[in-house]
Amino acid sequence: SSRLGGDFGDENDIAIANALGFTLSFYFLLFGKKVFVKILSAILAVLFGLCGLASGSKIFILLAVIESF
């Protein structure tokens, strides 16, 4: 399979973990008080976002949108 996460288990389970990481990183990016935390959160949000999209799971997009609200 060309989907990211197939070597580690079910792609949908990996997408759920990526969605949680993306959401937490996005939260700290918006509400973090220190500049270092904001920079690190931005980098992690991009990485989690790319990995989540590379998993090819619709659950990632759904969870990332719902959890952001």
Side-chain angles (χ1 to χ4, degrees), residues 32-44:
K33 299 200 186 305
K34 297 182 180 179
V35 175
F36 177 73
V37 172
K38 287 187 178 248
I39 292 171
L40 185 62
S41 296
I43 293 169
L44 287 174

Side-chain angles (χ1 to χ4, degrees), residues 4 14-26 28 40-56 60-61 64:
L4 181 67
I14 302 302
I16 291 170
N18 283 329
L20 179 63
F22 174 78
T23 305
L24 289 174
S25 298
F26 192 68
F28 284 118
L40 185 62
S41 296
I43 293 169
L44 287 174
V46 169
L47 289 174
F48 278 120
L50 290 175
C51 288
L53 291 174
S55 70
F60 171 77
I61 297 170

